[in-house]
Amino acid sequence: MGLKLSRWTVTRNLMGGKAEDAGPERLLDGSVILTRLEAAVNWARKYSFFLYPFVTACCGMEFMSVAGPRYDLDRFGAALPRFSPRQADLLMVVGTISHKQAPILVKVYNQMAEPKWVFAFGVCAVSGGFYDNYSVVQGIDTLIPVDIYVPGCPPRPEMVLDGLLLLQQKVKQERWTDWPRGEAPVSRC
Amino acid sequence: MKESVTLKKLMEKFPDDIVGTHSYRGDDTAVVKKDKIRDICLFLRDDPDLLYNFMMDLTAVDYLGRDPRFEVVYHLYSLPHNRRVRLKALVPESDPTIDSVVSVWVAADWFEREAYDMYGVKFIGHPNLRRILLYEGFEGHPLRKDYPLKKRQPLIGPVN
């Protein structure tokens, strides 16, 4: 009995509930889990990101490092890069975005099916970085909504993993009403 | 130092169009007027003693405050004779145009588009003189020395 109890307590915590409202489950001896559908769906979503690597610059090497076996994004369920935006739900913007590239980024974002999240990887994607000049977008959040900002030039793999965990926390707290977000306005530049 | 074949032949052929020459440490350089730049280039390409068949680089320089303000710089290489020469054509701000040399070396096409994009020097006779690195609708030419450091473009808006 004690073993079973600890198992459903762990599962229950995973689902974002509290142990004390687990009355019916206790009656059913831990063989059934009661939760909100929203919480269960968010739990599934946060461990199965299909990412689209939008790689434009030197941060791409760091992305390869973090996706490779040493740091291994697969441990967090975000292993499978999809090279079609239609199949992806996490847009990793890795590197500098120039104004000439901007309409392409917006188009890729709009082609992704919702729910979708955006990960700004590296300081160039976050704010333009030291490219404060005529040709570079001063942060991709001027084009599309961004969920997680990971600065660094390039960021350490640990920072990327930390950003991914923060994104998982964010996804866990989402409500049905957060979606759909709608299209980003297409940039004319 | 013995004067180079290239500069000597250039001086003989175009005495009125060569503003000055030097060949410091073997770097042959001729500063020329812009009017006959295409003829000069054709001569450099076709003369049997020169045969500059490889246009390595073409760019522009902005000497803000000087008259003439711009220089269009050509770096040429002769594969048959293993020689290099640098041409500098003077282009004034009041009339920032110069004849295109695409008809001499096809390689000049994208170089001239880049120089036009960044410095606003127009190459007359270029087959397709559009911006190459920036987008249509960009205002100004960003490598000019008087381009404002913090200028923002109208299509992109004040945030960017």
Side-chain angles (χ1 to χ4, degrees):
Chain A
M1 180 67 186
L3 189 73
K4 280 183 186 167
L5 263 179
S6 69
R7 191 180 67 198
W8 68 249
T9 309
V10 168
T11 319
R12 184 70 193 173
N13 287 340
L14 201 66
M15 293 303 217
K18 294 189 189 80
E20 57 263 27
D21 13 284
E25 291 167 28
R26 195 183 292 269
L27 288 177
L28 293 164
D29 198 19
S31 59
V32 171
I33 295 170
L34 299 180
T35 181
R36 284 178 298 120
L37 179 61
E38 203 173 49
V41 167
N42 283 347
W43 175 78
R45 280 177 179 169
K46 75 174 190 169
Y47 288 122
S48 62
F49 290 124
F50 279 43
L51 43 104
Y52 180 91
F54 195 94
V55 179
T56 56
C58 37
C59 272
M61 298 298 143
E62 292 300 316
F63 174 74
M64 291 170 211
S65 152
V66 80
R70 191 176 181 92
Y71 291 96
D72 199 7
L73 277 177
D74 201 8
R75 294 181 290 160
F76 308 96
L80 202 58
R82 305 273 73 195
F83 297 105
S84 162
R86 302 286 189 202
Q87 301 170 349
D89 56 11
L90 176 57
L91 178 61
M92 293 278 246
V93 183
V94 183
T96 321
I97 303 296
S98 67
H99 287 306
K100 207 163 180 174
Q101 189 82 14
I104 302 167
L105 176 64
V106 174
K107 190 179 228 174
V108 166
Y109 175 80
N110 285 339
Q111 282 175 341
M112 288 167 65
E114 302 208 25
K116 56 190 171 184
W117 300 274
V118 178
F119 192 108
F121 186 116
V123 75
C124 291
V126 169
S127 70
F130 54 72
Y131 296 110
D132 184 8
N133 62 20
Y134 59 89
S135 64
V136 172
V137 172
Q138 300 298 300
I140 57 166
D141 53 1
T142 58
L143 304 167
I144 55 179
V146 176
D147 292 283
I148 291 292
Y149 299 84
V150 176
C153 185
R156 289 284 311 167
E158 293 87 342
M159 293 170 68
V160 181
L161 297 180
D162 190 40
L164 191 72
L165 294 176
L166 287 171
L167 180 62
Q168 289 183 341
Q169 294 305 311
K170 186 174 182 180
V171 170
K172 191 175 155 187
Q173 291 160 12
E174 277 175 355
R175 314 305 303 265
W176 296 128
T177 48
D178 293 343
W179 302 101
R181 283 175 176 173
E183 286 201 341
V186 176
S187 166
R188 288 175 301 152
C189 58
Chain B
M1 195 179 208
K2 204 177 73 179
E3 199 182 0
S4 78
V5 183
T6 311
L7 295 182
K8 189 157 159 279
K9 293 207 79 159
L10 265 183
M11 297 286 273
E12 283 168 7
K13 180 84 178 174
F14 302 97
D16 299 333
D17 292 284
I18 309 293
V19 180
T21 63
H22 62 81
S23 48
Y24 179 69
R25 293 193 189 277
D27 267 352
D28 295 347
T29 304
V31 184
V32 303
K33 294 180 185 167
K34 68 169 190 169
D35 305 321
K36 283 195 184 161
I37 186 70
R38 196 173 161 274
D39 293 338
I40 294 171
C41 288
L42 267 179
F43 172 72
L44 286 171
R45 187 191 69 177
D46 292 336
D47 189 275
D49 292 335
L50 305 175
L51 293 175
Y52 283 95
N53 53 358
F54 182 15
M55 199 217 67
M56 298 175 70
D57 187 28
L58 190 162
T59 186
V61 188
D62 180 5
Y63 293 99
L64 184 62
R66 191 190 78 173
D67 189 42
R69 179 175 164 185
F70 298 105
E71 266 177 8
V72 178
V73 185
Y74 305 77
H75 289 109
L76 310 177
Y77 180 55
S78 166
L79 284 163
H81 298 296
N82 189 20
R83 280 202 291 259
R84 294 163 205 273
V85 70
R86 180 186 302 125
L87 290 181
K88 293 179 172 182
L90 303 170
V91 178
E93 186 178 7
S94 54
D95 178 29
T97 59
I98 189 167
D99 283 340
S100 167
V101 295
V102 175
S103 51
V104 186
W105 299 284
V106 180
D109 188 337
W110 284 13
F111 287 108
E112 290 186 349
R113 281 178 67 185
E114 186 183 356
Y116 163 71
D117 198 356
M118 294 294 161
Y119 293 93
V121 176
K122 290 191 176 62
F123 292 85
I124 295 167
H126 190 285
N128 182 24
L129 193 64
R130 292 182 297 126
R131 289 187 181 274
I132 187 169
L133 294 172
L134 300 168
Y135 45 89
E136 296 299 322
F138 193 94
E139 285 187 358
H141 301 281
L143 289 195
R144 285 190 175 193
K145 296 295 179 202
D146 54 0
Y147 183 87
L149 199 61
K150 294 284 176 188
K151 183 175 163 71
R152 293 296 177 237
Q153 292 292 323
L155 282 184
I156 295 162
V159 193
N160 268 307

